[in-house]
């Protein structure tokens, strides 16, 4: 039998890092919030699992750089609220293609964010595990987030603030109603004044029941299966997070990496095959693994290149790699985090709460609608 529940202020669909952050910030404002996640806590089928994500402030241009800087105190507030340590500052280095490195140095300079520019020899003396052959940008207010611990802490903070956090609760349909929206579950229908859809690769499916004027006009969202690898380091020295930008010696989109409790993680940015989230293989592409091993052999003298352990994870990417965080009527969508959204989650949660409350409009890069060529992260 289907149960019809009381009217709530906001239902958040998606218990990844973004939905969990949105639920926290909405509940902290006193809204009645239900957070619904289709899978079990800590599942590996979306984008937010594992032990590490890069937190860094260096981006091309001021928009994301300023947003990343604003997010740091929110991660610290989450730690104070829950007593869980999620962010470790280890610093970050950018090297490789000089134009990419200089664009990031410029944004840090313009915003007054501490940074330094080092020669390859200076960088090599400081970080023995990485090989450098170009100018290196270092900024200290960067490092690594513990991904699983962050999601758990965000859900804990949401629950502490009064949110009803439910796992293994798939949403079957979202439909318009005269009081806002109805969220149809297997045995219950929840009526809400507002719904936040933070469903990652499943976003279009979740929105499928909204028709006509109630459906947000999303840009294209492309889902790919990515495959970072972890390598065993030779020493337990601390590693910075790093991005090696594509240049003369390095093809493709470049490589990111960082230290983690599982070893030194490296990955290519957004090179994986297109997949559907419910029918993907979870099997890594052997050519991609070989490229990462070759990279480790050449550029990471501090790791055992034969020790690769590979994981898979989803990117949901917009045409220009800008996120989609915007509102249409009773529906706010937070999706398309394009392989670089984790670090911003608490600030996105705050923006989602502003949009749902009607106290802010979406910044131009995050709006539904036409998209420009890709931003570099
Ligand atoms: C390999 C890899 C490395 C990355 N590295 C970095 C990094 O270093 N730094 C960084 O900032 N970002 C990084 N990212 C990106 C970042 O992890 C993602 O942008 C972020 O996790 C996206 O979170 P999300 O909540 O939007 O999506 P998800 O984590 O996928 O969450 C969406 C959730 O919605 C749930 N859902 C879907 N449909 C329903 C339904 N019908 N009912 C209920 N629940 C539903 C899903 O089960 C899922 O749990 C990386 C991503 C990958 C894959």
């Amino acid at each position: 039998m289907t149960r019809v529940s009381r009217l709530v202020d906001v239902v958040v669909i998606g218990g990844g890092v973004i939905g969990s952050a949105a639920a926290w910030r909405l509940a902290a404002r006193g809204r009645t919030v239900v957070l619904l996640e289709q899978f079990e806590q800590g599942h590996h089928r979306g984008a937010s699992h594992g032990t590490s994500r890069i937190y860094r402030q260096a981006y091309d241009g001021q928009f994301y750089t300023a947003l990343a800087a604003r997010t740091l105190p929110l991660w610290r507030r989450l730690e104070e609220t829950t007593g869980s340590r999620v962010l470790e500052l280890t610093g970050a280095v950018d090297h490789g293609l000089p134009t990419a490195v200089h664009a990031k140095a410029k944004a840090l300079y313009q915003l007054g964010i501490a940074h330094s520019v080092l020669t390859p020899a200076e960088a090599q003396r400081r970080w023995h595990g990485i090989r450098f052959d170009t100018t290196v940008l270092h900024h200290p207010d960067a490092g690594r987030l513990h991904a699983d611990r962050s999601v758990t802490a965000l859900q804990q903070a949401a629950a502490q603030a009064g949110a009803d956090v439910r796992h293994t609760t798939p949403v079957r349909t979202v439909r318009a109603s005269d009081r806002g929206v109805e969220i149809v579950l297997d045995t219950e229908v929840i009526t809400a004044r507002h719904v936040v859809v933070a469903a990652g690769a499943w976003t279009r499916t979740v929105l499928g029941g909204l028709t006509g004027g109630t459906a947000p006009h999303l840009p294209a969202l492309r889902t790919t299966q990515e495959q970072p690898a972890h390598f065993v380091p030779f020493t337990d020295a601390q590693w910075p997070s790093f991005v090696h930008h594509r240049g003369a010696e390095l093809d493709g989109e470049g490589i990111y990496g960082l230290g983690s409790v599982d070893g030194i993680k490296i990955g290519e940015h957004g090179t994986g095959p297109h997949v559907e989230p419910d029918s993907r293989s979870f099997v890594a592409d052997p050519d991609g693994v070989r490229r990462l091993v070759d990279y480790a052999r050449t550029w990471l003298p501090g790791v055992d290149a034969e020790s690769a352990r590979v994981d898979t994870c989803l990117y949901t990417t917009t045409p220009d790699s800008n996120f989609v965080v915007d509102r249409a009527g009773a529906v706010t969508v937070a999706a398309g985090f394009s392989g670089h959204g984790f670090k911003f989650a608490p600030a996105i949660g705050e923006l989602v709460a502003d949009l749902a409350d009607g106290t802010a409009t979406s910044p131009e890069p995050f709006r539904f609608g036409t998209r420009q060529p890709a931003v570099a992260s």
Side-chain angles (χ1 to χ4, degrees):
M1 205 175 83
T2 301
R3 194 158 59 86
V4 178
S5 68
R6 70 187 200 290
L7 178 69
V8 300
D9 290 330
V10 188
V11 167
V12 179
I13 302 173
V17 71
I18 300 295
S20 304
W24 173 38
R25 298 318 304 151
L26 282 157
R29 294 181 185 194
R31 307 288 167 267
T32 51
V33 176
V34 181
L35 172 63
L36 302 170
E37 166 54 46
Q38 62 182 342
F39 299 130
E40 69 285 357
Q41 183 154 34
H43 75 87
H44 282 214
R45 280 170 272 192
S48 301
H49 58 279
T51 57
S52 66
R53 291 293 184 280
I54 293 175
Y55 169 80
R56 51 189 264 116
Q57 301 182 356
Y59 267 71
D60 287 5
Q62 294 186 28
F63 179 76
Y64 285 99
T65 303
L67 186 65
R70 283 207 303 282
T71 313
L72 178 52
L74 291 173
W75 284 117
R76 293 303 185 213
R77 198 191 304 173
L78 177 71
E79 292 178 329
E80 284 158 23
T81 304
T82 60
S84 180
R85 187 85 174 146
V86 299
L87 173 61
E88 191 172 346
L89 294 183
T90 61
V93 294
D94 286 82
H95 64 122
L97 191 67
T99 49
V101 175
H102 290 149
K104 287 156 188 70
K106 185 176 167 193
L108 294 174
Y109 171 78
Q110 287 170 331
L111 289 166
I113 294 171
H115 65 282
S116 50
V117 176
L118 294 84
T119 64
E122 286 167 335
Q124 200 71 71
R125 277 196 292 278
R126 196 155 165 194
W127 299 289
H128 304 286
I130 306 174
R131 187 163 84 76
F132 299 100
D133 67 345
T134 59
T135 298
V136 178
L137 170 67
H138 171 249
H139 69 293
D141 282 343
R144 59 169 172 252
L145 286 153
H146 192 297
D148 288 337
R149 228 189 272 154
S150 300
V151 175
T152 302
L154 288 163
Q155 292 178 4
Q156 184 190 333
Q160 276 172 221
D164 175 2
V165 178
R166 304 189 204 173
H167 291 93
T168 57
T169 311
V171 170
R172 299 305 181 193
T173 311
V174 179
R175 60 190 182 215
S177 99
D178 50 7
R179 291 195 291 177
V181 280
E182 286 180 343
I183 316 299
V184 181
L185 311 179
D186 285 336
T187 57
E188 185 181 354
V189 176
I190 305 176
T191 307
R193 292 191 175 87
H194 200 85
V195 65
V196 174
V197 179
W202 293 264
T203 297
R204 272 193 195 284
T205 309
V206 169
L207 290 168
L210 293 167
T211 49
T214 60
H217 188 70
L218 297 188
L221 296 175
R222 185 167 185 273
T223 300
T224 55
Q225 177 173 282
E226 306 296 330
Q227 47 179 49
H230 292 88
F231 293 87
V232 176
F234 289 127
T235 71
D236 54 10
Q238 192 176 71
W239 285 58
S241 64
F242 56 95
V243 179
H244 192 177
H245 301 281
R246 180 174 61 88
E249 287 199 57
L250 189 67
D251 292 333
E253 286 290 312
I255 297 281
Y256 66 83
L258 73 168
S260 80
V261 295
D262 290 326
I264 307 306
K265 172 174 157 184
I266 63 171
E268 296 178 331
H269 181 58
T271 57
H274 169 78
V275 292
E276 293 300 329
D278 289 321
S279 58
R280 70 187 176 108
S281 65
F282 293 86
V283 175
D285 161 34
D287 287 344
V289 178
R290 189 186 38 72
R291 287 197 300 274
L292 292 177
V293 171
D294 286 349
Y295 180 86
R297 249 185 225 127
T298 310
W299 292 97
L300 301 179
V303 305
D304 175 359
E306 309 312 315
S307 64
R309 201 173 48 73
V310 185
D311 189 15
T312 63
C313 182
L314 294 178
Y315 271 24
T316 301
T317 304
T318 63
D320 63 5
S321 290
N322 283 313
F323 312 151
V324 182
V325 189
D326 201 355
R327 173 180 175 160
V331 183
T332 293
V333 177
F337 288 92
S338 304
H340 65 118
F342 203 102
K343 66 182 76 59
F344 301 103
I348 299 297
E350 196 67 16
L351 172 60
V352 165
D354 286 345
L355 293 172
D357 279 351
T359 56
T361 53
S362 176
E364 198 273 330
F366 291 172
R367 289 189 194 151
F368 302 140
T370 319
R371 295 282 160 151
Q372 304 302 318
V375 291
S377 57

